[in-house]
Amino acid sequence: MSRFVDDIRRARAAGRLGHRFRPNDVRRACPSWADHTYGVFLPKHRQGNPGGYTAYFLQNPDGTYSLLA
C-alpha cells in the first residue's frame, strides 16, 4: 500500500480528516507531501479510474473522496 494512503488512514483515525474529504483537506491533514500529489493522487486512485490503477478511494457524487475499506 502507498505511504500516502497510510498517512491518510492515520489522519482519519486521529480525527484530523473527515470521512469525506477533498484534496485541500488532505493537504491540511497530511502536509509533508509534494504540492501536486494532493490534486493528482486521489483521482488517479479512485474506484473505476481509467488507468487501471489500484483503487484506494471512492469519488462521491459531490466530488469528495472516501477511503475504500
Side-chain angles (χ1 to χ4, degrees):
M1 181 175 299
S2 160
R3 291 180 310 160
F4 188 56
V5 175
D6 287 341
D7 279 359
I8 292 171
R9 289 185 189 281
R10 281 192 291 271
R12 282 272 306 118
R16 295 189 318 268
L17 192 61
H19 175 70
R20 290 183 173 209
F21 47 85
R22 296 184 184 279
N24 281 336
D25 300 325
V26 178
R27 181 180 281 114
R28 284 188 295 275
C30 307
S32 62
W33 295 90
D35 201 44
H36 73 277
T37 303
Y38 303 100
V40 174
F41 192 89
L42 276 64
K44 182 177 178 180
H45 290 279
R46 74 184 187 279
Q47 191 172 44
N49 70 73
Y53 296 100
T54 301
Y56 299 117
F57 309 103
L58 169 69
Q59 188 171 20
N60 301 300
D62 65 358
T64 61
Y65 292 89
S66 299
L67 281 164
L68 292 173

